[in-house]
Amino acid sequence: MAEEEDFSSLPLTDRWVHKVWKVRKEAYEEAAKQFEKTVDEYDPAFRPFVQDSSLWKAATADSNVAAQQEGLNALCAFLKFGGREGAVRARQHAVTPIVEKGLSSTRAATKASALEALLLFIELDVPGPVIEDILPALSNKQPKVVAASLAALTQIFHNYGCKTADPKPVLKVLPKVFGHADKNVRAEATNLAVEFYRWLREAMKPMFWGDLKPTQQTDLEAQFEKIKAEGAPKQERLLRSQQAAKERAPAAGAGDYEEDGGDDFEEPAEIDAFDLAEPQDILGKLPKDFYDNLASTKWKERKEALEALYAIVNVPRIKDADFAEVNRSLAKCMKDANIAVVTQAAQCIELLAKGLRKGYAKYRSTVMQPIMERLKEKKQTVSDALGAALDAVFSTTGLTDCLEDITTYLVHKNPQVKEGIMKFLVRCLRTTRDVPSKQEIATIVESAKKLLSEGSEVLRSGGAEILGTIMKIIGERAMNPHLEGLDDIRKTKIKEYYETAEVKAKDKPKPPPAPVARGPPPRKAGGAVKKTGPGLKKAAPAPAAAPPPAEPLAPQPTSRAAPGSKLGMPKPGGIGGLKAPQKRTLPGPGGLTSPRRPAAAPSPPLDEYEPPASPPAKPAARMGMGRGGLAGRSLAKPAAPVVPAAPPSPTPASGLTPIERAELEELRDANDRLLKQLEDARHDRSKLLSEIQELKNQNAGLIEDHTRDVLSIKAKETQLVRARSDAEAAEATNERLRRELDRLKRALNKAEAFGAGVGPGSPSSPNPGFMSPTHDDVGIYRDGQNAAGGMRNRMSFTSTLSEEKENGDAGIAYPRNKLSPEMRYAGSTASSGRGSPARGFRRDVAVDDKESRGIDSTVGGQGYGGNTDRSSSRAGSRAGSRLGEAPAAGAAGGNGMESWRRAAEVTSQLKARIEQMKARQNLKP
């Protein structure tokens, strides 16, 4: 007992976190009672829990189930009687424990308190933070926690609706829970999807429908069929802000608020797939060759490019970007000769307009006129696609922006275009939510009247339908002036369309202002005050103050009226601004009561509030002398009949004179004209801005195209220069190789000729010891040894004539004409060509070889000899050769066989070398 007393003496916050669960339970119960007894949200009982909001985390996640239940009850009381500030502070500490331990509790009372606490958190602020704290629990390892969280989300959307609570975060994770292994989780996911369908209908499907299994889709469709029969759902619980707004509504308009304002909490029809979807980037997904394929000469490639674009833009919502070039390309496709390409392009425009919505308005002028021009196609599928594209583009702007193009093409020379535009205008009038202005209505009516006189029945009916739809928008009375001059048959047709037309925009004329709303009646120019009471009438103009001097005139009307009527006496209606008919209806005129109040007439204050009929008191007295009894009775009843004096003033109904009313009408007309001018100026300004933007986009596109073309030209020029350089190098290489090949072929032919024994130095030659070809490092054929003359044996048969040409004929000791023609001309062509690359090389080598062997290359009579013996032997040999004498047999035989072997070796070497060079140059043999 002593311990319990100590516990009770502890502060509430200390007992709140005590280690004994019973102490905590009692603290929770005591706090709940204190909250219920508070006066307002600023009571001191809330202060400890507002300052230290972490106390609620311990209470909602208490380890003891009984204490946890009381802790949740205390939280509900705190939220119910406390304010928004305490709820926002406690939310970040309490929601997660409630979801993890409260919703999945085995106690029904604990689960109910946990759910109520979540709903109260939402009621005091907004649903978003609470839903964000619940979503992580959908990934919990325990299936019961996931199922309880889904059930809580279902209750949240059921109570507050999808307009107050954003469903997009939950729809994103819904496919994941549909694939959960636990059947209870899948069942709760189905319940949540059904609840979403109550509010969103078909708009929810694009978010997650494609991720479900076919069996799950079938089960959900069966559940949705049951929901379709139900009416529109209503928000069952209101936020504190909504409750305050409802209470602030004026009492006079309470009924209107219930009818109109109540719809703010139940408008699921306004939520569509566009609002729920996330914007997707389209330009980044376009193929790199899209524009090239779209400009291809083959219609299949153009159609395939448009089909690829269609697959990309077929999404609920598109991220806004620069689609100017894409729309220009699609507008060009409207002129395509292939109708399949036109149809596909129109479908792409439709999806772009639906995905961008208001963001597509700036491209309207680019695509609308090409689409209208293409309406000449008679094929129904093409017309339907073009019409759908026009409707989608119109939904992004409005009738004001499209009216100019519509009226222009309504007078097109092609009847098919007229018919398509006429149907498009009817659809625009039915779907627009903005009432057209008076000038726009006049323009549409004039265009429709022209259609009534067309030769085609379809166009005439379309004109009547346009007029009937306009009548439905502005009303039958406002439409009557526009129908003047039409025959009864056409009016009847228009009336039929008027009765069947369905529009979303209706011109509701403003009711005339009530007289009471104008305040007190205005004072006249003369300063007179109007009537303020039922029996008192104020004097009208200022001249009414002059009647007192005119008292002598009063007997004149009475003297004339007295014989004919008893009531003729009160006919001084012209005096004091009083009307005669009003006084004739009075059974007892006020003039008869004047004898009792003779001083009332001259009193100025009474002139303002009392009729001035009191001055004629003397004529009344004379009448009273003749009929005293009647006069006595009339004096007792004047007060009651004075009440009917109220009807004489019809002006207070408006409070304005005809002149003022006419002036007001003129001002209203002037105001309307100014407003119309302002509207036209705004329209022109927006049109000019759109044209400027379009021109800027076109300029940017042209600059980009020019830059691309310049870069392409420079790249082509660079490639051309490189190609020319490569071609020149290749030609030089080919020429060099060709000359080398020709040289080698000639050398081979000569070697083969020597090998066959037809050249000098062969065994069958008359002078076999003349030359014997040998091969050295530089490709020169020389004779290694010759007994008759050493100098002649050293000469090359390929360079003899060229050296002779270079050094002169005087330096040659042997006669050139003794050589055979074949040898002379072959040697000359093989070694003396100016284009041969080996000419100078062979000449230099030959000269150096002569110098190294001691041969004098200068021109002289003694030839080449360096010593006397060799020159003499060479001379003798030459002489013998010139005379045709054959050398000794032994010498001829020895040198001839050796020369033959050397020629054969040289021939084989030349063949091998030629084959190697052919292999290198890839030449065919």
Side-chain angles (χ1 to χ4, degrees):
M1 295 296 292
E3 291 182 359
E4 292 180 1
E5 292 177 358
D6 293 337
F7 293 153
S8 61
S9 62
L10 292 175
L12 181 62
T13 54
D14 294 343
R15 286 180 287 157
W16 193 277
V17 294
H18 201 276
K19 61 181 179 178
V20 179
W21 69 270
K22 291 184 178 181
V23 178
R24 298 196 302 271
K25 180 174 177 296
E26 293 176 357
Y28 301 154
E29 294 174 350
E30 182 180 348
K33 293 178 181 179
Q34 290 181 4
F35 297 152
E36 293 175 358
K37 295 177 182 180
T38 55
V39 179
D40 54 19
E41 60 185 79
Y42 304 104
D43 194 275
F46 297 107
R47 188 174 302 129
F49 301 95
V50 174
Q51 294 176 350
D52 187 8
S53 56
S54 60
L55 294 173
W56 294 112
K57 181 177 182 180
T60 54
D62 201 298
S63 57
N64 187 273
V65 292
Q68 182 188 19
Q69 179 178 344
E70 296 299 330
L72 290 171
N73 292 337
L75 177 60
C76 292
F78 175 79
L79 297 174
K80 184 177 180 180
F81 299 101
R84 177 181 175 277
E85 181 182 359
V88 172
R89 288 174 176 265
R91 182 179 59 201
Q92 56 184 343
H93 298 285
V95 173
T96 302
I98 289 174
V99 173
E100 294 179 351
K101 293 190 176 182
L103 294 176
S104 60
S105 176
T106 56
R107 292 194 172 194
T110 302
K111 294 170 64 175
S113 299
L115 180 60
E116 180 65 19
L118 294 178
L119 297 177
L120 286 172
F121 273 122
I122 295 175
E123 179 181 331
L124 287 168
D125 191 25
V126 289
V130 177
I131 295 176
E132 289 179 2
D133 291 339
I134 296 177
L135 289 179
L138 299 181
S139 301
N140 197 289
K141 296 180 180 180
Q142 299 182 8
K144 64 177 184 178
V145 176
V146 180
S149 302
L150 290 172
L153 289 173
T154 304
Q155 289 299 319
I156 289 173
F157 287 103
H158 179 78
N159 285 276
Y160 293 102
C162 289
K163 185 172 179 63
T164 303
D166 187 11
K168 288 190 289 186
V170 184
L171 286 172
K172 292 179 181 179
V173 300
L174 199 56
K176 180 181 178 181
V177 293
F178 265 105
H180 202 278
D182 189 78
K183 63 178 183 179
N184 296 326
V185 174
R186 296 195 300 272
E188 292 296 340
T190 302
N191 295 336
L192 181 57
V194 171
E195 184 63 33
F196 279 139
Y197 191 81
R198 290 181 64 241
W199 295 91
L200 306 177
R201 300 298 178 179
E202 298 297 327
M204 61 173 282
K205 289 187 176 180
M207 296 292 293
F208 72 98
W209 196 254
D211 299 331
L212 302 182
K213 298 178 180 179
T215 55
Q216 293 174 336
Q217 294 179 358
T218 304
D219 296 341
L220 286 176
E221 287 291 354
Q223 297 290 333
F224 294 163
E225 289 296 330
K226 302 176 183 178
I227 301 298
K228 290 180 180 178
E230 299 179 1
K234 295 183 179 181
Q235 184 175 340
E236 297 185 359
R237 293 182 67 155
L238 303 180
L239 303 178
R240 291 286 174 90
S241 58
Q242 294 173 342
Q243 296 174 10
K246 189 174 182 179
E247 293 173 358
R248 286 195 301 267
D256 297 338
Y257 180 82
E258 290 295 334
E259 296 177 1
D260 301 334
D263 293 341
D264 294 341
F265 308 122
E266 47 178 14
E267 294 183 2
E270 293 185 0
I271 303 177
D272 56 7
F274 184 84
D275 298 327
L276 298 176
E278 292 292 333
Q280 298 187 19
D281 185 14
I282 297 302
L283 292 180
K285 299 179 181 179
L286 284 179
K288 295 181 179 179
D289 57 348
F290 171 73
Y291 296 105
D292 296 336
N293 293 337
L294 204 59
S296 175
T297 57
K298 298 180 180 179
W299 71 269
K300 288 187 177 180
E301 293 183 358
R302 299 195 300 271
K303 185 173 182 295
E304 289 174 358
L306 292 172
E307 288 175 350
L309 177 63
Y310 182 86
I312 295 173
V313 300
N314 191 14
V315 293
R317 191 170 184 176
I318 298 174
K319 185 178 180 181
D320 195 4
D322 186 9
F323 290 93
E325 189 172 359
V326 176
N327 284 280
R328 285 196 296 269
S329 302
L330 294 176
K332 291 179 181 178
C333 292
M334 291 295 106
K335 301 178 181 179
D336 201 289
N338 190 280
I339 59 175
V341 175
V342 176
T343 305
Q344 194 68 43
Q347 293 174 354
C348 293
I349 292 175
E350 178 186 1
L351 291 180
L352 276 173
K354 290 181 177 179
L356 290 172
R357 294 213 175 170
K358 296 300 180 183
Y360 193 80
K362 54 182 173 288
Y363 309 117
R364 180 201 61 80
S365 58
T366 304
V367 299
M368 179 164 281
Q369 291 185 1
I371 295 176
M372 289 180 173
E373 189 69 34
R374 193 66 187 198
L375 286 172
K376 61 186 178 182
E377 291 293 338
K378 296 183 179 180
K379 194 170 184 180
Q380 190 63 32
T381 55
V382 183
S383 301
D384 293 343
L386 295 173
L390 285 175
D391 294 343
V393 174
F394 170 77
S395 65
T396 64
T397 55
L399 184 60
T400 303
D401 298 330
C402 303
L403 187 58
E404 183 178 356
D405 293 335
I406 291 174
T407 53
T408 301
Y409 281 88
L410 268 180
V411 294
H412 199 274
K413 60 182 180 181
N414 192 319
Q416 199 71 21
V417 176
K418 281 185 181 180
E419 181 180 349
I421 298 299
M422 175 265 297
K423 294 179 180 179
F424 173 56
L425 178 56
V426 172
R427 295 195 299 270
C428 293
L429 293 174
R430 289 179 178 178
T431 56
T432 183
R433 295 185 180 273
D434 300 327
V435 178
S437 62
K438 293 181 180 179
Q439 184 176 357
E440 292 172 350
I441 290 175
T443 304
I444 297 172
V445 169
E446 290 300 323
S447 301
K449 286 182 178 179
K450 293 179 181 178
L451 293 177
L452 293 177
S453 59
E454 289 285 343
S456 173
E457 173 61 25
V458 177
L459 294 177
R460 293 197 300 271
S461 300
E465 186 175 2
I466 292 172
L467 293 174
T469 309
I470 288 289
M471 183 184 294
K472 192 73 172 182
I473 293 176
I474 65 176
E476 186 174 0
R477 181 178 179 182
M479 191 65 183
N480 287 333
H482 298 290
L483 301 181
E484 293 180 358
L486 298 179
D487 53 27
D488 294 338
I489 297 176
R490 292 175 177 173
K491 288 183 179 179
T492 303
K493 192 72 172 177
I494 294 171
K495 186 72 173 178
E496 293 176 359
Y497 282 111
Y498 160 72
E499 293 174 353
T500 58
E502 296 181 359
V503 296
K504 295 182 179 180
K506 290 186 178 181
D507 189 10
K508 298 180 180 179
K510 297 181 180 179
V516 182
R518 294 184 179 271
R523 187 178 294 270
K524 292 287 185 177
V529 182
K530 293 204 178 277
K531 172 183 171 183
T532 58
L536 299 176
K537 188 172 183 180
K538 304 168 188 177
E551 286 183 1
L553 298 176
Q556 293 177 0
T558 56
S559 61
R560 289 193 301 267
S565 176
K566 301 178 182 179
L567 301 178
M569 192 67 185
K571 279 186 102 172
I575 303 173
L578 296 178
K579 297 182 179 179
Q582 298 169 358
K583 285 301 178 179
R584 281 197 298 268
T585 58
L586 296 177
L592 299 178
T593 61
S594 60
R596 296 188 178 183
R597 298 176 296 181
S603 175
L606 292 177
D607 289 341
E608 298 180 358
Y609 300 98
E610 191 172 332
S614 55
K618 293 181 180 180
R622 285 196 298 269
M623 185 178 178
M625 288 191 307
R627 296 180 182 180
L630 181 60
R633 288 195 299 272
S634 64
L635 292 175
K637 300 180 180 179
V642 176
V643 178
S649 140
T651 53
S654 64
L656 298 174
T657 62
I659 297 176
E660 293 173 342
R661 190 178 298 107
E663 184 179 358
L664 179 61
E665 291 297 330
E666 291 178 358
L667 292 175
R668 287 177 178 171
D669 294 339
N671 187 28
D672 292 340
R673 287 195 299 271
L674 291 176
L675 291 176
K676 181 58 182 175
Q677 292 176 1
L678 179 61
E679 183 180 356
D680 294 341
R682 288 177 178 173
H683 175 62
D684 295 339
R685 182 176 180 273
S686 62
K687 184 180 295 184
L688 291 175
L689 290 176
S690 63
E691 291 178 358
I692 290 172
Q693 184 64 32
E694 182 180 357
L695 291 175
K696 287 182 179 179
N697 294 337
Q698 293 178 359
N699 187 26
L702 292 176
I703 292 174
E704 184 179 354
D705 295 341
H706 176 68
T707 305
R708 190 184 300 112
D709 294 340
V710 170
L711 294 177
S712 177
I713 291 171
K714 290 183 178 179
K716 297 296 184 183
E717 290 177 351
T718 304
Q719 294 178 2
L720 184 59
V721 170
R722 291 178 180 175
R724 287 176 178 172
S725 177
D726 295 343
E728 292 174 356
E731 289 178 359
T733 303
N734 292 336
E735 184 65 20
R736 180 177 58 81
L737 294 176
R738 185 180 61 79
R739 290 194 299 267
E740 185 70 16
L741 181 61
D742 293 339
R743 186 184 65 80
L744 293 176
K745 284 182 177 179
R746 287 191 294 270
L748 178 60
N749 292 334
K750 293 177 182 180
E752 290 176 351
F754 277 105
V758 295
S762 63
S764 60
S765 176
N767 189 8
F770 179 70
M771 285 190 299
S772 178
T774 58
H775 180 66
D776 61 356
D777 295 338
V778 295
I780 305 298
Y781 299 93
R782 297 194 175 99
D783 191 0
Q785 41 182 297
N786 193 326
M791 180 58 193
R792 185 171 58 232
N793 295 339
R794 296 178 181 273
M795 295 178 64
S796 170
F797 71 91
T798 59
S799 61
T800 301
L801 298 181
S802 63
E803 290 176 359
E804 174 188 351
K805 187 176 181 180
E806 293 291 333
N807 297 326
D809 295 337
I812 305 296
Y814 61 90
R816 294 175 60 190
N817 54 3
K818 296 299 181 178
L819 293 175
S820 65
E822 294 82 6
M823 180 61 193
R824 182 171 68 251
Y825 292 115
S828 176
T829 56
S831 61
S832 62
R834 294 185 180 274
S836 175
R839 179 185 175 197
F841 176 77
R842 291 197 305 273
R843 183 174 65 249
D844 298 339
V845 172
V847 173
D848 295 340
D849 185 71
K850 293 175 184 178
E851 292 175 357
S852 64
R853 293 174 180 268
I855 301 175
D856 186 10
S857 61
T858 61
V859 179
Q862 299 300 325
Y864 307 92
N867 57 45
T868 306
D869 297 335
R870 300 182 67 179
S871 61
S872 62
S873 65
R874 189 181 299 115
S877 177
R878 287 174 182 164
S881 176
R882 284 195 301 267
L883 295 175
E885 297 175 357
N895 290 337
M897 293 303 293
E898 186 177 355
S899 298
W900 176 261
R901 285 195 299 271
R902 289 178 181 176
E905 292 174 0
V906 169
T907 301
S908 61
Q909 291 176 1
L910 282 173
K911 287 183 178 180
R913 187 175 180 184
I914 289 172
E915 293 296 329
Q916 289 177 0
M917 292 191 68
K918 286 183 179 180
R920 282 198 216 110
Q921 300 300 329
N922 293 325
L923 297 175
K924 295 182 180 180

